[in-house]
Amino acid sequence: MTSTTLLSKTSPARAGVREWLGLAVLLLPVTLMTADLGVLWLATPFLTADLHPSSSELLWTTDMYGFMTAGFLVIMGGLGDRFGRRRLLLAGSAGVVAASVLAAYAGNPQTLIVARALLGVAGAAVLPSTLALISHMFADVRQRATAIAMWVTALSVGIAVGPVIGGVLLDHFWWGSVFLLGVPVMLPVLLFAPWLLPEYRDPAAGRVDAPSVVLFLLAILPVVYGVKKLAEFGVQGTYVAAIGAGALFGTLFVRRQRRIAAPLLDLRLFADRAFTGALLTLLLGMMALNGIEYLVPQYLLAVADLSPLAAGLWLLPGAAGLVAGSQLTPVLARRLRPAYVILGGLVVMGSGFALSAAEGTAAVAAGLTLVMAGVAPISVLGTALAVGAAPAEKAGSAAATGQTAYDLGLALGIAGTGSVAVAVYRDEVSAAAPAGVPEQALEAARETVGGAADAASALPGPLGDDLLAAARDAFTAGFHTAAAVSAGLALATAVVVAVLLRHIPPIGADAPQDTH
């Protein structure tokens, strides 16, 4: 089945009230996932002061959720196709509740990293289940596009409400309170999903192939680890070997999928140009976005010296941009080819990267707003094309594969572009730190800008002020470098879209074409 077949005007029965109420239930965990990321970024200075993580532990705390989600999405998508997507959603929701409590009361960096890893595994069970159920509940292509746009909007609502709620919590409670958001959000899912959501599984899926699960994890996790460490510490044999090992296991995984009767991942999906193009668009587009997105809250807190609540309010325009872009995208895609809509969004993203490189809080917030508005067509249409390219019985695997590209892009955006920003920061701090700063304080300042603030507060007035000013300037230089790298990734995304997606007609257009 090709994506252009799914974009034709010949549509099955339209969804009714129960499906739309079910969609509302599905959007709750989606909102939580991005709210969790937003509050983590705001909570970072506070958990740093309390738990005293090293720079590597701090990056792992931020990255672990995305890495584990990326590693388990395809596996969970396959499990959902086999055992039931609603059942997997409920299991994942219960896991999110348990892991959120563990993260909230973590007493050291290692426990917090483990909790974030468990959250990633639970999130991997939830996210493909939501998309696969949407694909099953909304068979009409235009209704499905609207539902997926609302799914992306839920992501942006999480971005919007997460920092604001997190700011309020951080102003009144300890940093762990932000993780407890997962408990009240997931309880309605556990209560109402059995009543409102249909169960669906592939009756011909066969048993889960355990060697495929192991091979997939051995393929993706070492590659992600190696890329992260290369970006952070430069070329070293251990990290290159990790990438090589991942590539080897990836080759073995692909060979096994071609041989067995019930593969974990149906490689025939990649024969569809639209499916492959959508995955690459999601991967590169999310890398471009998250290269600066996770740095903006730190900029507002550490450089602009705002309170958590004020920083959360400055992030609201960015979330509003994503909401507006997500709602406008399906309307435009009914009149224009999806490739044109995505390319227009990339132009908006590029202008946002340029603006965010200017000085000042307002410029950074306005730049993020444009970036978020521009990334919306990638999220909506990339996801819709990936899910729509698959037959109904493979919707879970297709949704999981698309979400893997999405989340892996987010994780690699932090690991790659973010680590470049860290490298620039360290070099700039080392070069600009004032004479007379004790070595221990200077080492703390090199670790993180939060560490620089703590070190500066313990130094005599002028010396501490100069060290803090140097750290803020260094962070700004790293942020500007990240924006430039992200702009390059956006350009690469545009090339992929122009080559692989330009043939797809507007959504709902009765103009099927060859997609191979």
Side-chain angles (χ1 to χ4, degrees):
M1 181 181 293
T2 65
S3 56
T4 50
T5 302
L6 290 174
L7 294 177
S8 70
K9 290 181 178 178
T10 303
S11 301
R14 293 172 64 82
V17 173
R18 180 169 182 169
E19 285 77 17
W20 290 107
L21 289 175
L23 176 64
V25 171
L26 290 175
L27 297 184
L28 287 173
V30 175
T31 304
L32 175 66
M33 298 306 157
T34 48
D36 177 68
L37 286 173
V39 298
L40 175 64
W41 294 331
L42 284 178
T44 294
F46 300 92
L47 68 89
T48 299
D50 186 21
L51 301 182
H52 305 291
S54 66
S55 60
S56 179
E57 289 173 333
L58 189 59
L59 275 174
W60 275 117
T61 300
T62 306
D63 295 346
M64 184 57 76
Y65 173 84
F67 287 166
M68 296 303 288
T69 302
F72 279 88
L73 273 169
V74 170
I75 295 169
M76 293 298 183
L79 290 177
D81 286 343
R82 287 165 170 80
F83 299 115
R85 294 159 188 170
R86 186 181 66 188
R87 184 179 300 173
L88 187 66
L89 172 68
L90 292 172
S93 299
V96 168
V97 171
S100 297
V101 173
L102 179 62
Y105 294 99
N108 53 64
Q110 295 77 23
T111 301
L112 183 57
I113 291 171
V114 169
R116 296 287 294 167
L118 294 175
L119 275 170
V121 176
V126 169
L127 288 173
S129 299
T130 61
L131 276 174
L133 285 168
I134 286 173
S135 177
H136 180 57
M137 293 159 59
F138 297 92
D140 178 82
V141 64
R142 291 191 174 185
Q143 284 191 322
R144 184 191 303 151
T146 300
I148 290 177
M150 294 179 69
W151 185 87
V152 175
T153 299
L155 296 178
S156 59
V157 169
I159 294 172
V161 303
V164 175
I165 296 175
V168 172
L169 291 173
L170 290 170
D171 276 348
H172 293 86
F173 304 101
W174 90 113
W175 59 265
S177 63
V178 300
F179 292 108
L180 294 179
L181 286 172
V183 178
V185 171
M186 285 302 188
L187 285 180
V189 179
L190 293 170
L191 289 174
F192 295 112
W195 299 93
L196 292 174
L197 301 179
E199 184 59 282
Y200 185 85
R201 66 186 183 91
D202 179 6
R207 296 188 305 173
V208 175
D209 183 57
S212 293
V213 172
V214 175
L215 286 173
F216 185 80
L217 291 175
L218 290 175
I220 195 167
L221 294 180
V223 170
V224 172
Y225 171 82
V227 169
K228 175 186 182 300
K229 291 301 182 181
L230 284 175
E232 185 178 357
F233 298 112
V235 177
Q236 295 185 26
T238 302
Y239 310 141
V240 174
I243 295 174
L248 173 61
F249 285 114
T251 301
L252 295 175
F253 172 79
V254 169
R255 288 181 176 177
R256 184 168 183 84
Q257 302 316 289
R258 289 174 173 168
R259 288 201 315 267
I260 61 179
L264 180 67
L265 177 61
D266 190 345
L267 299 180
R268 292 174 296 179
L269 292 172
F270 291 90
D272 191 301
R273 245 173 75 192
F275 182 80
T276 301
L279 294 187
L280 290 174
T281 299
L282 286 168
L283 177 69
L284 293 173
M286 293 307 109
M287 285 181 66
L289 166 68
N290 227 31
I292 70 161
E293 184 189 19
Y294 95 103
L295 292 173
V296 171
Q298 297 178 55
Y299 178 93
L300 296 176
L301 291 169
V303 178
D305 199 25
L306 300 178
S307 69
L309 181 58
L313 292 174
W314 273 106
L315 293 173
L316 283 176
L322 185 54
V323 170
S326 300
Q327 295 304 303
L328 183 61
T329 293
V331 177
L332 293 176
R334 291 170 191 165
R335 295 165 174 81
L336 302 171
R337 291 176 180 266
Y340 298 161
V341 180
I342 296 174
L343 289 172
L346 287 167
V347 172
V348 175
M349 279 186 75
S351 62
F353 291 133
L355 184 57
S356 66
E359 298 290 339
T361 302
V364 169
L368 180 64
T369 301
L370 291 175
V371 170
M372 298 294 275
V375 81
I378 294 175
S379 300
V380 173
L381 296 176
T383 302
L385 291 174
V387 174
E393 64 273 12
K394 297 295 182 183
S397 294
T401 307
Q403 193 63 36
T404 297
Y406 183 100
D407 284 354
L408 188 57
L410 292 176
L412 290 177
I414 294 176
T417 307
S419 296
V420 169
V422 169
V424 172
Y425 168 80
R426 288 174 175 168
D427 288 344
E428 293 286 333
V429 166
S430 298
V437 175
E439 183 59 34
Q440 184 176 2
L442 184 57
E443 186 58 35
R446 289 194 192 103
E447 288 290 318
T448 64
V449 68
D454 290 341
S457 65
L459 296 176
L463 189 61
D465 292 342
D466 290 345
L467 177 61
L468 183 57
R472 288 173 171 171
D473 289 343
F475 187 90
T476 301
F479 179 76
H480 291 169
T481 302
V485 174
S486 294
L489 289 169
L491 181 60
T493 308
V495 173
V496 169
V497 172
V499 172
L500 295 179
L501 301 180
R502 69 179 186 275
H503 65 286
I504 300 174
I507 290 179
D510 190 12
Q513 303 175 30
D514 181 20
T515 62
H516 300 289

